[in-house]
Amino acid sequence: MKTYVVIGMGRFGTAVATRLYELGNEVLIIDRRTDCIQHIADRVTHAVTGDATDEDVLRALGVGNYDCAIVSIGSDLAASILVTLNLKDLGVPAVICKASDEGYKRALERVGADRVVIPEREMGVKLAQNLTSSSILDFIELSPDYGIAELSVPADWVGKSLRELNIRAKYGVTVLAFRKEDRLNVQPGPEEPVGPGTVAIVLGSNEQLSRLQAS
């Protein structure tokens, strides 16, 4: 079980906090607004009304002992920056921030955020990837240029090994794993044949992934 602190109980923060708790993690939520805290208090481990821009508040809650913090203030850049600085000063190993645009993203990265997400953009990219190819089952954007895609393997891959397919040389992508039903084969061997109904999890640039989808 990992420990998370989620700051800001808007739609994004609420969704993240409740899902992390459903997955069996310890989750502390913090927001200035009592009504937002009360709304989901029974769906997380700890719920606190407080000002996360005040380092003393965060220290009293022991957030430095948590594995990861998610800053979901989003529309208030100054507050997001101050909270991020507080969390880093208190020694939180990983700080993930929500941003509303690229300018906010760059600012938060400069003050030490380990990862900054723009949910609307990432969801838009994922939807576009899914719509443009029926083979794409899921897509995770790692950066504006790179991502990880899950795709149903083409029929001409079935029965062939990774060595025979020579996927990296042909398309420039890296096969991270194969999945079939509930079985995940991480780092499959070069001689292992691809079975029917297999899903490939591949890493590459958006251009490389598009070329693979079109093959």
Side-chain angles (χ1 to χ4, degrees), residues 77 81 101-113 116:
L77 178 58
I81 288 174
D101 58 38
E102 286 292 337
Y104 277 31
K105 182 175 186 290
R106 288 193 298 271
L108 290 164
E109 288 172 338
R110 286 174 184 165
V111 298
V116 182

Side-chain angles (χ1 to χ4, degrees), residues 177-198:
F178 284 125
R179 177 169 58 79
K180 187 170 183 180
E181 297 175 347
D182 293 332
R183 179 175 173 267
L184 183 66
N185 182 6
V186 180
Q187 295 182 329
E191 305 299 340
E192 185 173 348
V194 177
T198 297

